[in-house]
Amino acid sequence: MGQGRLLMVGAGLSGAVIGRHLAEAGYDITVVDARSHIGGNCHTERDADTGVMVHIYGPHIFHTDDAEVWDYVNAFQTFMPYKNRVKTTSRGQVFSLPVNLHTINQFFGQTMRPDEARTFITEEQADTSIEDPQTFEEQAMRFVGRDLYEAFFKGYTMKQWGCHPSELPASILKRLPVRFNYDDNYFFHKYQGMPENGYTDMIGKILDHERIEVKLETVFDRSQAGDYDHVFYSGPLDGWFDFELGRLGYRTLDFERFTYDGDYQGCAVMNYGEVDVPFTRITEHKHFSPWEEHEGSVCYREFSRAAEPEDIPYYPIRQVAEKALLSDYVKLAEATSGVTFVGRLGTYRYLDMDVTIREALDTARGFLADRAEGRAAPAFYQAPL
Ligand code: FAD
Ligand code: UDP
């Protein structure tokens, strides 16, 4: 006889990591997912024709500074070395991203050294009158200036988010560094890599525990909650409440898949900075597994648009209107017992995989501590606001 019965709604990283931790603590775990596979949006699947490992819901690169999280994923999967080196096409040329010395020299037709480039950008390009950038546009104008902003960020961002960069928070651009050397690693994290056999294999191993039962193609509805001592819900927060206050806004993605005999673009990610190219980027999936060799190739052209009710919600929008609605849903959630909202959709935040795992571990530990003290588990271990 275990400690109790718990339900995980969602077999993505959140449900898997929380479920595993609590199974090891002696709880009996049921994991349900509406989809026909585990892994959530990280799902990977080998293409039968080409043998390429395809990132079905868009490319996922693992990067973190969190040593515990890095050890955690490595316990379930060998991580192969992988550095994300992104290119962008703009004005008929290919440039290196994130903006680095190569980008700057190529764009301005110069041969500047690091100090010269820094002085050039700071004194001749950046708008240093902006002291505390609030919007995406201000952040770009402050750190790279109008020319680079218009070539690489303005059009791409309008396509990605469906609005002008002056309506978006600076935090979205702060994820990207600007470098005055030739380092073209897209991320600055200490640990980076790709799971050798894909994310779904890794998540399958996390879920592989005698106290965990997984039920796929099983849509959760609230009437099932009564069968369990507690529910961890990684579905959309507003979905739990049947959207009674309205729908939280999301961007969704359409992937136009195509195959190619050979090497289509020579790199994993090619962005398209201009607004008149309708897609944001093309990803070529065999380049995400550089240790494998494949003749054929599988590519995705990625288009972004506002999510309709039947679409997969990908990126929470979190502008002023959404935050007001979110705050109302948070109040409803806090008045609800028996459920904890987790993960990207449950807390309506953009979460990278490493943050998702960190929060899942913290949630499971918080739950165990609450149980030990006889306290009811809260609606959120991580505040959405
Ligand atoms: P999800 O993966 O969304 O899982 C939730 C699961 O719940 C889904 O499987 C869904 O089917 C299920 N579900 C929902 N409602 C119900 C219901 N009512 N009944 C049954 N099942 C339900 N992170 C990185 O670190 N690096 C990257 O490069 C990266 N790239 C990304 C690219 C894209 C395009 C996207 C969208 C995300 C990317 N991420 C990346 C983030 C990563 O996908 C998330 O961190 C991770 O998927 C979050 O896991 P989760 O379990 O919280 O949510
Ligand atoms: N971005 C851009 N041009 C690019 C790449 C990114 O304008 O070539 C902007 C875009 O608004 C994006 C943000 O920078 O949402 C953060 O970039 P990141 O690569 O982190 O985007 P994500 O992983 O969310 O797709």
Side-chain angles (χ1 to χ4, degrees):
M1 186 60 194
Q3 298 282 340
R5 295 187 67 208
L6 302 175
L7 178 66
M8 307 291 136
V9 179
L13 271 177
S14 296
V17 173
I18 298 170
R20 174 67 182 233
H21 199 90
L22 296 177
E24 286 177 359
Y27 286 88
D28 292 311
I29 310 292
T30 302
V31 183
V32 295
D33 203 298
R35 295 178 181 174
S36 60
H37 58 77
I38 60 166
N41 284 347
C42 306
H43 177 50
T44 45
E45 205 176 279
R46 222 174 255 292
D47 174 57
D49 293 333
T50 59
V52 171
M53 186 64 84
V54 179
H55 297 216
I56 301 290
Y57 300 94
H60 280 66
I61 298 127
F62 202 92
H63 51 99
T64 189
D65 280 330
D66 189 326
E68 189 193 3
V69 167
W70 183 242
D71 288 345
Y72 185 91
V73 292
N74 277 275
F76 294 100
Q77 185 81 190
T78 300
F79 269 71
M80 303 300 279
Y82 183 84
K83 292 273 183 290
N84 196 25
R85 301 191 198 283
V86 177
K87 308 286 177 236
T88 185
T89 298
S90 185
R91 303 178 183 181
Q93 278 183 276
V94 175
F95 297 92
S96 163
L97 282 184
V99 171
N100 64 70
L101 192 48
H102 203 166
T103 327
I104 296 167
N105 274 331
Q106 193 189 354
F107 188 82
F108 294 103
Q110 297 288 324
T111 56
M112 290 179 277
R113 292 183 301 99
D115 294 347
E116 293 165 342
R118 190 184 294 276
T119 306
F120 169 73
I121 292 291
T122 314
E123 292 182 2
E124 294 181 42
Q125 291 291 314
D127 182 349
T128 47
S129 70
I130 303 169
E131 281 178 17
D132 183 17
Q134 296 299 312
T135 68
F136 184 110
E137 182 170 58
E138 285 175 0
Q139 176 77 11
M141 296 297 280
R142 170 70 186 79
F143 289 98
V144 295
R146 181 170 300 282
D147 292 344
L148 292 167
Y149 161 63
E150 289 190 344
F152 301 136
F153 299 116
K154 188 177 174 187
Y156 186 99
T157 296
M158 286 168 71
K159 290 188 284 186
Q160 173 81 353
W161 293 99
C163 64
H164 195 273
S166 59
E167 295 169 59
L168 292 166
S171 57
I172 295 180
L173 185 58
K174 283 184 186 161
R175 294 209 286 268
L176 297 188
V178 177
R179 299 207 184 97
F180 295 102
N181 57 31
Y182 289 97
D183 180 1
D184 63 351
N185 187 347
Y186 202 69
F187 302 116
F188 37 82
H189 293 105
K190 189 167 167 188
Y191 310 105
Q192 296 181 46
M194 278 287 181
E196 186 173 21
N197 299 313
Y199 292 99
T200 298
D201 186 74
M202 175 181 91
I203 293 170
K205 292 189 164 98
I206 297 173
L207 287 167
D208 182 15
H209 188 280
E210 59 185 6
R211 288 193 181 276
I212 299 180
E213 181 191 13
V214 180
K215 293 182 182 170
L216 297 175
E217 296 180 49
T218 304
V219 178
F220 167 79
D221 71 70
R222 272 183 301 176
S223 67
Q224 297 155 12
D227 298 342
Y228 298 90
D229 296 312
H230 196 73
V231 179
F232 291 87
Y233 177 83
S234 69
L237 174 60
D238 49 357
W240 175 277
F241 299 103
D242 300 324
F243 310 100
E244 65 177 80
L245 304 177
R247 282 181 181 266
L248 290 166
Y250 278 93
R251 300 293 289 173
T252 192
L253 299 173
D254 294 319
F255 299 111
E256 194 178 281
R257 183 185 187 280
F258 62 98
T259 54
Y260 185 79
D261 194 13
D263 190 0
Y264 178 73
Q265 62 181 15
C267 65
V269 184
M270 175 65 75
N271 290 355
Y272 286 83
E274 288 163 322
V275 79
D276 49 357
V277 177
F279 43 88
T280 50
R281 58 183 181 174
I282 298 179
T283 53
E284 184 165 11
H285 291 229
K286 68 178 173 184
H287 294 303
F288 291 117
S289 307
W291 63 93
E292 296 183 358
E293 279 184 29
H294 303 286
E295 279 300 315
S297 202
V298 179
C299 302
Y300 276 12
R301 265 185 213 100
E302 210 169 299
F303 300 79
S304 171
R305 62 178 170 80
E308 300 291 336
E310 64 281 3
D311 293 322
I312 298 176
Y314 280 113
Y315 295 98
I317 295 177
R318 292 185 71 99
Q319 283 175 264
V320 176
E322 284 81 13
K323 278 197 176 166
L325 185 56
L326 174 61
S327 145
D328 291 339
Y329 273 117
V330 167
K331 283 186 203 125
L332 268 188
E334 283 170 345
T336 308
S337 60
V339 56
T340 295
F341 297 88
V342 298
R344 229 163 112 91
L345 302 171
T347 63
Y348 192 62
R349 288 171 307 147
Y350 183 91
L351 299 181
D352 274 326
M353 291 180 281
D354 62 324
V355 181
T356 304
I357 295 171
R358 157 62 44 214
E359 294 194 351
L361 291 171
D362 291 348
T363 295
R365 288 173 182 147
F367 177 80
L368 291 175
D370 282 336
R371 280 284 152 130
E373 298 289 328
R375 287 188 299 259
F380 300 101
Y381 283 96
Q382 292 85 24
L385 286 163

